[in-house]
Amino acid sequence: MYSKILILHFPPVITQKPIVYYLTKNFDLLFNILHARVSSEKAGYMVLEISGTKDNFNKGIKFLKNHDIKITSAEHEILRDDEQCTHCGACTAICPTEALSIKRPEMEVIYDKKKCSVCELCILACPTRIMKLSSKNTENIFK
Amino acid sequence: MGKHRINKTYKEINEKIKSGKAVVVTAEEIIDIVKENGAVEAANNVDVVTTGTFAPMCSSGAFLNIGQTKPLIRTTSTLFNNVPAYSGLAAVDCFLGATQPCEDDPLNKIYPGEFNYGGGHVIQDLVAGKKVTLKAKAYATDDYPKTRLEKTIVLNDLSQAILCNPRNAYQNYNCAINMSDKIKYSYMGILKPEMGNANYSTSAQLSPLLNDPYLKTIGLGTRIFLGGAMGYVTWNGTQHKKDVDRSSIGVPLTPSATLFVMGDLKEMSPKWLVGQSFKGYGCSLSVGLGVPIPILNEEMAQYTAVSDDELFTQIIDYGDGYGQGNFKSYGQVSYGELKSGTIMVNGKKVQTVPLSSIVKAREIADKLKQWILKKGFLLGEPQHFF
């Protein structure tokens, strides 16, 4: 069983259509609506947990994309603007997982995203403000 | 003269720079040279040692002349991207300080404040060539009738922009810990309670004033690397102190000498002037600064050969102590220990956190070396010592 939480952005022209019903009917996918909203401009926003086989999941995602639904991941990550990093080291005071650490003897500040717990403490601890919270890259969802 | 075996003058070293024969090394490279060959031989071979530092230097700012308009204005209030600059000067002069927050900043009303934009950020935006909104106010006089001014400017629109930092390149600085049971937000960064971390800020063996502990070669007129361009030492800095405790090799053990530096902001770069936001504390500016030290004799070779293990600072409590003016030392540590990643304080192993970039300091020392070797950057002979 493959499962992911996704954020779907519906353009106004298709908000009225029962699109997600087809995820079950055509692709045998389970969906759980975690949040849904239609804006005053009639654009739709829906947070869905979608489960099924990996193959069906991919087909379902392709179907949604073909209907001009923009998909982002609900998962977030912390990104560093490497070019702007001054390698001061201030962030290493508060990083609880040592995702931000100092490479010695060079004294370079290393960011190992794999160790990051997305606690967000570094965002305001960085005096140059180069740590940013961002929606996880969705490219790998569609592979 | 006479007491040294090697004696060189600024003039002789400058002649060697001009003819491309000068030997220039960084403050890190000289360490092994002196260790292997001795100070006399090193002084015989090396002409200049380059240093560097890149760290938040709060006492920084710029004199800006916004240029006249028609009708004329005598500004009494000047804002750059909503950051106020002191305007109690003639006509269209003002001074923009690095720590000045923007007008609508909530400061620490919502504690700890974020301080996302201030004078240091305006300075960085200006040198990056970005557009900045200028708003000025004045009262009308017979000779200066205009009372309001609003326009978008870039750095080159200003008649003059002079970086003018009253206190930079601090010779040594405290190592900050927090002995209280609450997290503290300071200009030394975030300090976790019960000595959760120990923050320090220096480039140590690369630091300009730690390589010339008595400022024997640095004075008014010393030409330096400042913000990516050529600048000058124009006076001693504020809070400059010489009468301090020193180690056996003469290096201060507490914050001591400082430099007043100036340079043309229009020649500088956003890579070396970086706006800073210290959570709960305020805004600042990180400044890139490097000083070339002439090896006039073996004494200077020996001074510049100082290494992290021979440089010491004091551990100060920024929890309750510092704010109350209590600067009691909780121990003396070397920069070698601080750079290792942990130190022992009161029997507890404490993580160390640098705030001064060694990566950038090294880059400045290297750049200054290249300037002297390839661009004929000449040494400025001090006209007055501090």
Side-chain angles (χ1 to χ4, degrees):
Chain A
M1 187 72 121
Y2 187 79
S3 181
K4 270 223 176 295
I5 297 174
L6 299 176
I7 302 169
L8 276 46
H9 305 265
F10 295 74
V13 283
I14 56 162
T15 302
Q16 303 300 323
K17 293 179 186 167
I19 300 280
V20 294
Y21 158 75
Y22 292 103
L23 291 177
T24 301
K25 187 167 186 284
N26 295 355
F27 308 107
D28 197 22
L29 292 168
L30 281 171
F31 65 85
N32 186 13
I33 303 172
L34 301 173
H35 184 74
R37 189 179 72 211
V38 177
S39 75
S40 54
E41 287 84 33
K42 304 273 182 239
Y45 171 91
M46 193 182 265
V47 182
L48 277 190
E49 183 179 11
I50 302 172
S51 315
T53 66
K54 181 86 208 263
D55 192 40
N56 283 341
F57 180 89
N58 287 343
K59 283 180 186 157
I61 296 297
K62 203 169 172 197
F63 165 81
L64 293 173
K65 289 194 88 185
N66 286 342
H67 283 81
D68 289 332
I69 293 164
K70 198 176 149 244
I71 304 167
T72 54
S73 172
E75 286 177 81
H76 282 71
E77 62 186 345
I78 300 282
L79 298 178
R80 177 173 82 168
D81 183 346
D82 290 336
E83 280 219 343
Q84 300 299 320
C85 178
T86 68
H87 296 275
C88 71
C91 57
T92 62
I94 46 74
C95 180
T97 61
E98 289 180 27
L100 288 157
S101 65
I102 291 176
K103 183 182 168 197
R104 297 183 159 82
E106 297 87 348
M107 301 302 284
E108 264 173 61
V109 178
I110 306 294
Y111 175 44
D112 182 354
K113 213 167 72 180
K114 290 196 288 292
K115 287 188 187 167
C116 175
S117 64
V118 202
C119 72
E120 304 178 25
L121 284 174
C122 57
I123 295 173
L124 291 180
C126 169
T128 314
R129 297 289 152 83
I130 54 153
M131 306 303 293
K132 295 264 150 61
L133 184 68
S134 118
S135 189
K136 231 177 189 173
N137 194 338
T138 48
E139 288 301 304
N140 47 10
I141 296 174
F142 313 121
K143 271 179 194 157
Chain B
M1 293 298 239
K3 68 175 180 157
H4 298 121
R5 286 173 62 190
I6 306 292
N7 288 289
K8 283 184 267 184
T9 63
Y10 285 83
K11 198 166 172 247
E12 285 163 4
I13 295 176
N14 277 339
E15 286 306 320
K16 283 174 100 173
I17 293 173
K18 280 185 210 160
S19 61
K21 287 178 187 149
V23 176
V24 185
V25 300
T26 70
E28 287 188 316
E29 291 163 342
I30 190 74
I31 297 171
D32 284 341
I33 296 174
V34 170
K35 209 177 272 172
E36 281 160 28
N37 310 308
V40 174
E41 186 66 18
N44 195 30
N45 296 333
V46 177
D47 300 303
V48 184
V49 169
T50 58
T51 63
T53 182
F54 183 88
M57 302 193 199
C58 295
S59 210
S60 297
F63 278 106
L64 307 171
N65 179 291
I66 62 170
Q68 267 301 355
T69 57
K70 278 183 188 174
L72 304 185
I73 187 168
R74 211 213 90 193
T75 50
T76 51
S77 143
T78 317
L79 298 170
F80 294 89
N81 284 348
N82 222 18
V83 179
Y86 177 73
S87 306
L89 299 157
V92 282
D93 279 342
C94 62
F95 184 78
L96 178 66
T99 67
Q100 187 70 50
C102 67
E103 284 265 275
D104 45 10
D105 194 300
L107 308 175
N108 263 342
K109 288 187 193 93
I110 306 157
Y111 178 82
E114 296 188 7
F115 301 98
N116 289 314
Y117 199 83
H121 298 91
V122 176
I123 290 172
Q124 186 180 17
D125 282 348
L126 282 171
V127 290
K130 288 189 187 166
K131 286 180 184 167
V132 168
T133 304
L134 166 70
K135 283 184 200 171
K137 277 194 239 170
Y139 58 86
T141 67
D142 290 340
D143 40 2
Y144 295 101
K146 195 176 169 83
T147 58
R148 263 171 204 281
L149 175 68
E150 184 168 344
K151 57 180 175 178
T152 304
I153 54 135
V154 291
L155 182 59
N156 279 331
D157 295 332
L158 299 171
S159 307
Q160 279 81 28
I162 305 159
L163 190 77
C164 180
N165 303 349
R167 192 196 319 153
N168 275 184
Y170 232 122
Q171 187 180 33
N172 214 345
Y173 212 80
N174 300 333
C175 167
I177 53 162
N178 172 12
M179 299 182 89
S180 78
D181 58 4
K182 291 190 181 68
I183 191 165
K184 297 285 175 180
Y185 300 95
S186 75
Y187 67 87
M188 290 298 287
I190 297 172
L191 299 166
K192 291 183 283 191
E194 276 138 21
M195 303 194 291
N197 52 302
N199 294 8
Y200 66 100
S201 184
T202 176
S203 58
Q205 62 192 17
L206 277 163
S207 170
L209 300 189
L210 291 176
N211 278 281
D212 183 1
Y214 291 100
L215 277 70
K216 290 193 176 188
T217 68
I218 302 169
L220 189 157
T222 297
R223 195 173 283 129
I224 60 170
F225 174 106
L226 181 63
M230 201 166 80
Y232 290 89
V233 173
T234 55
W235 205 251
N236 60 261
T238 52
Q239 291 180 200
H240 175 76
K241 247 194 297 189
K242 282 175 86 176
D243 185 19
V244 291
D245 288 339
R246 291 173 188 265
S247 69
S248 57
I249 52 168
V251 185
L253 299 167
T254 55
S256 39
T258 66
L259 297 179
F260 200 124
V261 298
M262 286 170 73
D264 188 349
L265 194 65
K266 291 189 181 183
E267 294 171 6
M268 295 183 190
S269 133
K271 186 180 173 187
W272 302 108
L273 293 173
V274 180
Q276 301 281 278
S277 302
F278 280 91
K279 187 180 180 181
Y281 169 73
C283 305
S284 189
L285 180 72
S286 273
V287 178
L289 193 156
V291 178
I293 297 176
I295 305 303
L296 302 174
N297 48 50
E298 60 269 33
E299 188 187 13
M300 291 316 301
Q302 193 63 57
Y303 283 140
T304 55
V306 75
S307 69
D308 289 337
D309 293 326
E310 300 165 295
L311 296 165
F312 300 90
T313 190
Q314 309 303 313
I315 301 165
I316 306 291
D317 173 33
Y318 279 63
D320 294 321
Y322 186 86
Q324 299 304 318
N326 174 11
F327 308 134
K328 183 191 163 195
S329 173
Y330 286 88
Q332 183 167 298
V333 274
S334 77
Y335 284 111
E337 291 170 88
L338 284 165
K339 271 193 188 169
S340 77
T342 52
I343 53 167
M344 294 299 288
V345 189
N346 286 356
K348 187 187 170 189
K349 197 169 163 186
V350 182
Q351 179 207 356
T352 60
V353 174
L355 298 172
S356 179
S357 172
I358 299 300
V359 173
K360 292 260 188 181
R362 198 170 283 139
E363 204 179 330
I364 290 168
D366 274 331
K367 221 177 169 80
L368 191 48
K369 176 176 154 179
Q370 295 310 319
W371 281 3
I372 298 169
L373 291 172
K374 296 192 179 142
K375 287 188 175 177
F377 176 103
L378 297 176
L379 304 180
E381 184 168 358
Q383 303 300 305
H384 171 74
F385 289 97
F386 315 123

